[in-house]
Amino acid sequence: MRILVTGSSRGIGLACVKKYIEMGHEVIGFDINPTDYKAKGYTHMLVDIAGDLPDLEPIDVLVNNAGVQDGGREIEINLQGTIAVTEKYGIHDGIHSILFMASSSASNGAEFPLYAASKGGMVTYMKNTALRIAGFGATSNSISAGGVYTPLNQHIMEDASLMEQCLNETLLHRWADAEEIADLCYYLTNINKSMTGQDLLIDNGEQLKSNFIW
């Protein structure tokens, strides 16, 4: 299959690229940054998803991973850019699956306001996409991850006190690895046939954690 992964230079996006390549697929990566990763079957393109999008041969799987956490362009990039990419490359009768990288913030409203709003909008748009590509026999789902060990969270990972505070907010006292998320991405896009229109919360029990006081 031909796979398009946005935000492919690091973190979850790069882990996804490596997973799809490992499984024998042709992969195209979009990112505003270059990459040192090279592999047979992988093409890296410098693309801002909120800008001009290049023309491509039809793709089979789209992984919408690109995004920013703060800085003022969250709606423009995370939501509008993702919509633009999906409309251009994902809505056609040859599409097999579309996946959106949302966030636990989409359901609990945590983190920065524009970020939470952009991810909440993404989940709603994912469901709209599922409705529209169902006629092609294709699926559309999203992953709402909590804490993940990625360069985006490096400042927390390097501070033992902050890291422990974050881990204490989860039931399992851990964060997910990028490779774990990539494995789930692969399942949802290339193995799954029956799940569509669903948002999967992968947060090690952070939202479930509560203290019962009687």
Side-chain angles (χ1 to χ4, degrees), residues 65-75 78-79 101-106 108-122 145-146 152-153:
N65 172 72
V68 294
Q69 193 171 34
D70 58 4
R73 296 185 67 200
E74 295 92 314
I75 301 296
N78 300 356
L79 186 55
M101 197 59 59
S103 168
S104 59
S105 299
N108 67 7
E111 296 188 58
F112 305 104
L114 290 178
Y115 179 78
S118 70
K119 295 299 187 176
M122 181 186 290
L152 186 66
N153 294 317

Side-chain angles (χ1 to χ4, degrees), residues 40-54:
K40 182 180 179 181
Y42 179 58
T43 302
H44 190 78
M45 303 179 69
L46 297 180
V47 176
D48 182 346
I49 65 166
D52 293 329
L53 298 174

Side-chain angles (χ1 to χ4, degrees), residues 197-211:
Q198 301 302 308
D199 180 55
L200 279 71
L201 179 64
I202 312 298
D203 72 343
N204 284 289
E206 184 173 345
Q207 288 194 33
L208 180 62
K209 186 174 183 180
S210 61
N211 294 306

Side-chain angles (χ1 to χ4, degrees), residues 5-53:
V5 179
T6 67
S8 58
S9 71
R10 63 178 188 169
I12 294 172
L14 180 57
C16 286
V17 167
K18 291 178 178 180
K19 179 66 177 183
Y20 288 108
I21 289 293
E22 174 192 336
M23 300 303 290
H25 300 284
E26 177 186 353
V27 183
I28 301 165
F30 282 2
D31 205 291
I32 60 171
N33 297 309
T35 182
D36 293 329
Y37 176 75
K38 299 184 186 304
K40 182 180 179 181
Y42 179 58
T43 302
H44 190 78
M45 303 179 69
L46 297 180
V47 176
D48 182 346
I49 65 166
D52 293 329
L53 298 174

